Amino acid sequence: MKYLFFKMLVVWRRMRHGMQARYIDRHDVGRQLEVLMGRIDPGASWHERANWMIDVAEWLRHRPAVSLLDRQAWHQVRRQRLEILLDWLDQHRDVRRTVQNALQKTLREATGPELFSTTGLPHEPGFFGELAERLARMVLPRHLSPTDLSSLFTAMFPDPDDAAWLLELDNELLARLWKLMADDGISHMYWQQIEEAITYLTTTVIADGISPAFRQRLEPKTPMRATPFLALRREMESWLRANPYDQGALRSVRMLVAVCHAQTDRIYAHLDEYGVSVSLVYRVERMRAHLQRIGRLIDVRATAPGETGAGRVQLLLADLISAHHNRGSVRGLMRRSFALLARKMVERNADHGEHTIARDRAGYAKVLKGGLLGGVVIAGTALLKITLAKLGMVHFFEGAAASLNYAVSFLLIAAVGGVLATRQPAVTAPALASRMGELDAEGMRDLQAESGRLLRSQSAGIFGNLLTVIPVTAALCALGWFGFGAMPMTAEQARGAIASLSLVGPTPLYAALTGLLLWLASLASGFADNWFALRRVREVVSNHRRLVHGLGAKRAERCAAWLERNVATIAGSLTLALLLGMAPVLAAFFSLPLDIRQVTLAAGTLAAAVFSLGWQTLATPEFWLAAGGVAITALLSVAVAFACALGLALRSRDLPRRMRRFAMRAVLRRFVVAPGFFILPERADAAAQDDADDEDEEDDDGDDERRGDSAEHPGEPGAYAAGARAGREREALPEALRRHA
């Protein structure tokens, strides 16, 4: 047993230290190099020689677990180790010849242009195929192959910091290293591989550029033969056949690469207007990466005869290292592919939720009135939910019936112009992104003001729901008691309902979960509206032959317009109903004690339970704990939904993480200091001040020319006033924002 333990310890140390365990305990650098260089054998197999090259790279990169040196200092240490290695080989000529023969033989046997054409580039045709490949690369080790030099290259440089270290090497070291590793035959071979890589990448760019998915999104429409992609193929073939130093052909090729790159910007503009496809965004990003790599390879091939070209090769290798590590990131792939989709969802949700934002007292009253209508409908929904619970159905059918009940209620609320409490922040918070510019001092004030309007709208909706759901629920219970002689709940069920709503218990967790479901429903509405625009469903419906024949052209157009206006509301309502009804069923399937807590439904359930037990229940502590649970449900569900939507709005603007955190903390700090700003209707003087600020902004926009004149004559009073105003703004700018600015 003791022998087995020590054997496992040795295996663990070898796995932990890797191949460096053979020499890390030796403090003499010369002795380390003697052991390391003595292992090379030019007659060994290709894999043994490739693994030895990886060991040499690990020796250059080796860093102890504890070190006081910064990154730049370790770059210098690596450079010194490379100098020591080359000097040691110069002193030991026999070993140098052996190492040189082994290196050149290894590089000569590794064939194929994959090093330049696939390293760090997405080459799968679709987004999900690329995602699956990256996940597989994270789990499975990379196999070294003599037909794929990229596998050896990426194994030798596994650290993203290797690119910066490689760029810091001077020309003298690069020349000595190249003389050790290559000769004229190897140079000619890799020159041909660069040309093959250019041909392969150009072919993939052309295949995507002339596809219908791309050509249909380019304005103005051009014939396929007139597209710049086919012109790029002709010019590239001519340049590869001609002298690589022909400046005319070189300028033509570079111009066409720039034109093709500009075409991707036009495709992004089309997606930004007509809807976003994740698959198409991935293909556009792949084309941009291929065009950028083509430009790097063109620079290397176009090196003038008098130049060494070491700097361009150095940039190319550093670019390969950086691209490889960026491509290996699954998070980076998803972030780049979904960034445009997130912005489009934010902007479209902002358009659909604009009418539910209370920007003044009249808007506050309008939302409050909508909340009153919504509370009337939710009262019937709560009683129907209690009735369905009495039927004793199995979990799945009970969840399906609850989802159907919620769906009908939410659609009815939308049809009558009502408002459902706690759903508004998930729908209207993206309006922040559409009005959010730079997060300077003025931008932060605008962000907090817009947050206040959104949360005041939510407060009005909650007040309206609660003002009607409780009396309407009590009235319906009384009607059922007088008409049918039945209570909505038994005494035991009523006590259980009150206990489940208690503040002391899992109610806060359930409220936070409900807020997350509300945000997910808003995402579904954004996806549905983006899909509607991407597929051009309005044009399809308005021009459908059967609809036009049956309804007429004008009615079909009105039907398509109505569907475009309400598709987000319908999709969001149905998704929210499905989530609220089936989430407890799914949690029960995994034996998780989770439930949902929607403030209006909870208030209706509490009113029905009090009616069943009698009004003396109002004097019990259990009732007041349940009332506190309803209040905390409103607070947490709104907070979680608003925080998620605000985070999506900030992320859609490609802001740094520190700026996003600062914006979130600023809104939270304002809520803690002045909670009435987010709950009570806006004062008339504050609204007038906002209007005056808007007028001042319009005046400032109209006086750009006058400001320009003042800037040209700094001695005039106008310039002095502008400078003083800028100074006050800088003084008002918070310290954290000043650093980011």
Side-chain angles (χ1 to χ4, degrees):
M1 186 68 183
K2 184 177 181 181
Y3 173 76
L4 179 62
F5 172 77
F6 282 108
K7 190 173 182 179
M8 293 176 61
L9 182 61
V10 171
V11 172
W12 165 251
R13 290 192 61 188
R14 289 181 179 177
M15 294 292 292
R16 181 181 179 185
H17 296 293
M19 299 300 294
Q20 296 184 10
R22 302 183 181 184
Y23 50 82
I24 59 174
D25 294 332
R26 303 180 184 273
H27 300 285
D28 185 7
V29 177
R31 182 59 178 164
Q32 292 178 6
L33 289 174
E34 182 180 353
V35 173
L36 183 60
M37 298 301 161
R39 291 175 38 219
I40 186 60
D41 182 12
S45 64
W46 188 90
H47 290 86
E48 293 181 1
R49 286 181 270 118
N51 286 321
W52 176 82
M53 293 176 65
I54 296 174
D55 291 343
V56 174
E58 289 182 355
W59 180 81
L60 294 174
R61 190 187 307 106
H62 176 62
R63 183 174 181 177
V66 179
S67 175
L68 299 179
L69 301 180
D70 57 1
R71 179 181 301 179
Q72 189 64 30
W74 273 109
H75 289 177
Q76 187 66 22
V77 170
R78 293 179 185 179
R79 183 183 180 281
Q80 293 175 357
R81 286 180 180 174
L82 182 58
E83 289 182 349
I84 293 173
L85 171 62
L86 295 176
D87 293 340
W88 189 89
L89 289 176
D90 290 339
Q91 295 173 4
H92 300 78
R93 288 294 182 179
D94 297 337
V95 180
R96 176 185 172 85
R97 276 193 298 270
T98 303
V99 170
Q100 187 175 20
N101 293 334
L103 288 175
Q104 293 182 3
K105 184 178 180 181
T106 303
L107 295 179
R108 191 177 291 109
E109 292 177 357
T111 59
E114 286 78 12
L115 173 63
F116 308 107
S117 60
T118 62
T119 303
L121 295 180
H123 52 81
E124 289 294 326
F127 168 78
F128 293 102
E130 181 70 19
L131 180 62
E133 183 185 357
R134 294 195 183 189
L135 292 175
R137 287 177 181 271
M138 294 175 60
V139 178
L140 301 177
R142 185 78 180 270
H143 173 63
L144 296 178
S145 174
T147 60
D148 185 8
L149 188 59
S150 62
S151 60
L152 176 59
F153 180 80
T154 55
M156 291 181 62
F157 300 100
D159 190 359
D161 198 39
D162 292 334
W165 166 72
L166 184 61
L167 288 176
E168 293 179 0
L169 298 180
D170 54 18
N171 293 332
E172 181 182 356
L173 275 179
L174 290 176
R176 295 177 64 186
L177 191 61
W178 178 256
K179 187 176 180 180
L180 176 68
M181 298 179 62
D183 54 12
D184 294 339
I186 295 177
S187 301
H188 180 70
M189 182 182 69
Y190 283 98
W191 184 276
Q192 291 180 340
Q193 291 184 7
I194 288 177
E195 293 180 348
E196 293 176 4
I198 293 175
T199 303
Y200 169 77
L201 293 174
T202 304
T203 304
T204 58
V205 168
I206 294 170
D208 284 333
I210 64 176
S211 62
F214 277 57
R215 287 188 292 107
Q216 292 175 1
R217 289 170 171 82
L218 293 178
E219 297 291 344
K221 304 297 183 182
T222 57
M224 182 184 298
R225 292 182 178 275
T227 58
F229 300 99
L230 291 182
L232 176 63
R233 183 190 65 179
R234 295 189 295 267
E235 295 295 333
M236 188 66 73
E237 290 177 352
S238 301
W239 181 64
L240 290 177
R241 288 194 302 264
N243 186 0
Y245 314 119
D246 186 356
Q247 295 300 318
L250 181 61
R251 284 194 298 268
S252 179
V253 168
R254 285 178 172 171
M255 182 191 68
L256 285 173
V257 169
V259 171
C260 292
H261 204 281
Q263 297 296 312
T264 61
D265 297 333
R266 295 170 63 185
I267 294 175
Y268 271 131
H270 186 279
L271 292 176
D272 204 20
E273 182 178 359
Y274 294 102
V276 178
S277 169
V278 175
S279 176
L280 190 58
V281 169
Y282 165 77
R283 293 176 62 186
V284 174
E285 287 293 327
R286 185 181 67 165
M287 177 186 287
R288 294 167 72 97
H290 286 183
L291 289 171
Q292 185 178 4
R293 179 63 56 81
I294 290 174
R296 291 285 190 189
L297 296 178
I298 289 175
D299 291 339
V300 174
R301 188 179 184 271
T303 305
E307 299 179 4
T308 60
R312 296 183 179 183
V313 174
Q314 188 178 15
L315 288 175
L316 175 62
L317 296 180
D319 182 70
L320 293 179
I321 297 173
S322 302
H324 166 69
H325 291 287
N326 291 333
R327 182 176 181 264
S329 173
V330 176
R331 181 180 179 183
L333 172 68
M334 299 183 68
R335 182 179 65 251
R336 290 190 300 270
S337 299
F338 285 97
L340 187 61
L341 179 61
R343 185 167 72 246
K344 177 53 60 179
M345 289 169 51
V346 161
E347 292 172 354
R348 290 189 173 275
N349 276 353
D351 295 337
H352 288 286
E354 181 69 26
H355 65 281
T356 59
I357 301 178
R359 301 193 176 278
D360 50 17
R361 285 185 173 271
Y364 192 92
K366 181 180 178 180
V367 176
L368 183 63
K369 182 180 178 181
L372 296 175
L373 294 175
V376 173
V377 178
I378 293 298
T381 306
L383 291 178
L384 185 56
K385 176 186 175 184
I386 296 172
T387 304
L388 292 175
K390 291 181 180 179
L391 299 179
M393 295 183 290
V394 295
H395 286 298
F396 177 80
F397 292 104
E398 183 179 358
S403 298
L404 181 61
N405 179 27
Y406 296 150
V408 174
S409 301
F410 298 160
L411 292 177
L412 182 60
I413 290 174
V416 300
V419 171
L420 176 64
T422 68
R423 190 191 167 198
Q424 287 172 282
V427 177
T428 59
L432 294 169
S434 62
R435 292 172 175 81
M436 189 163 50
E438 298 294 335
L439 282 185
D440 51 6
E442 186 66 27
M444 287 301 301
R445 286 194 293 268
D446 295 339
L447 177 64
Q448 294 183 6
E450 191 68 20
S451 301
R453 297 187 187 100
L454 294 174
L455 292 180
R456 280 196 295 271
S457 305
Q458 178 56 31
S459 301
I462 293 177
F463 293 154
N465 283 174
L466 296 181
L467 286 176
T468 53
V469 69
I470 296 176
V472 171
T473 301
L476 292 177
C477 292
L479 183 62
W481 183 51
F482 284 115
F484 303 99
M487 288 290 184
M489 298 181 184
T490 63
E492 183 178 358
Q493 291 175 341
R495 294 190 189 94
I498 294 177
S500 65
L501 296 175
S502 177
L503 177 62
V504 182
T507 295
L509 176 62
Y510 296 162
L513 175 63
T514 305
L516 181 61
L517 297 181
L518 292 167
W519 177 68
L520 292 177
S522 73
L523 290 185
S525 64
F527 272 112
D529 192 69
N530 179 76
W531 180 88
F532 191 95
L534 181 65
R535 303 297 177 178
R536 300 188 177 184
V537 180
R538 177 170 180 172
E539 298 179 8
V540 173
V541 173
S542 60
N543 297 305
H544 194 273
R545 294 183 60 187
R546 290 184 179 272
L547 286 178
V548 172
H549 178 72
L551 300 178
K554 293 185 178 180
R555 290 192 181 92
E557 178 64 29
R558 288 198 296 268
C559 178
W562 179 88
L563 189 60
E564 184 182 26
R565 289 193 305 269
N566 297 278
V567 62
T569 302
I570 295 173
S573 300
L574 294 179
T575 304
L576 180 60
L578 184 64
L579 291 175
L580 294 181
M582 298 303 294
V585 177
L586 185 62
F589 178 80
F590 292 100
S591 300
L592 297 176
L594 296 179
D595 201 353
I596 58 103
R597 288 289 184 272
Q598 206 275 338
V599 56
T600 314
L601 291 173
T605 303
L606 181 60
V610 170
F611 184 88
S612 301
L613 293 177
W615 301 112
Q616 67 276 7
T617 310
L618 298 176
T620 60
E622 290 80 6
F623 168 78
W624 292 107
L625 286 176
V630 173
I632 199 66
T633 296
L635 178 62
L636 287 180
S637 59
V638 170
V640 171
F642 183 80
C644 293
L646 178 59
L648 178 64
L650 294 172
R651 186 177 293 274
S652 67
R653 294 302 173 186
D654 295 332
L655 295 175
R657 180 180 300 178
R658 294 182 62 186
M659 289 295 291
R660 295 198 300 267
R661 291 178 178 176
F662 183 83
M664 299 283 282
R665 287 197 300 266
V667 175
L668 179 61
R669 190 183 304 113
R670 181 65 181 271
F671 179 80
V672 173
V673 173
F677 176 76
F678 297 93
I679 299 175
L680 302 177
E682 191 174 10
R683 299 191 306 271
D685 54 350
Q689 182 64 29
D690 291 341
D691 294 338
D693 293 340
D694 294 338
E695 293 178 359
D696 291 340
E697 292 178 359
E698 294 178 358
D699 293 339
D700 292 341
D701 294 337
D703 293 342
D704 284 341
E705 183 177 357
R706 186 165 60 253
R707 284 202 204 96
D709 296 338
S710 298
E712 293 177 359
H713 303 281
E716 296 183 2
Y720 178 81
R725 182 167 59 253
R728 290 194 299 270
E729 291 178 356
R730 286 194 297 269
E731 292 176 359
L733 188 66
E735 181 63 23
L737 276 178
R738 192 179 306 157
R739 290 196 301 268
H740 288 297

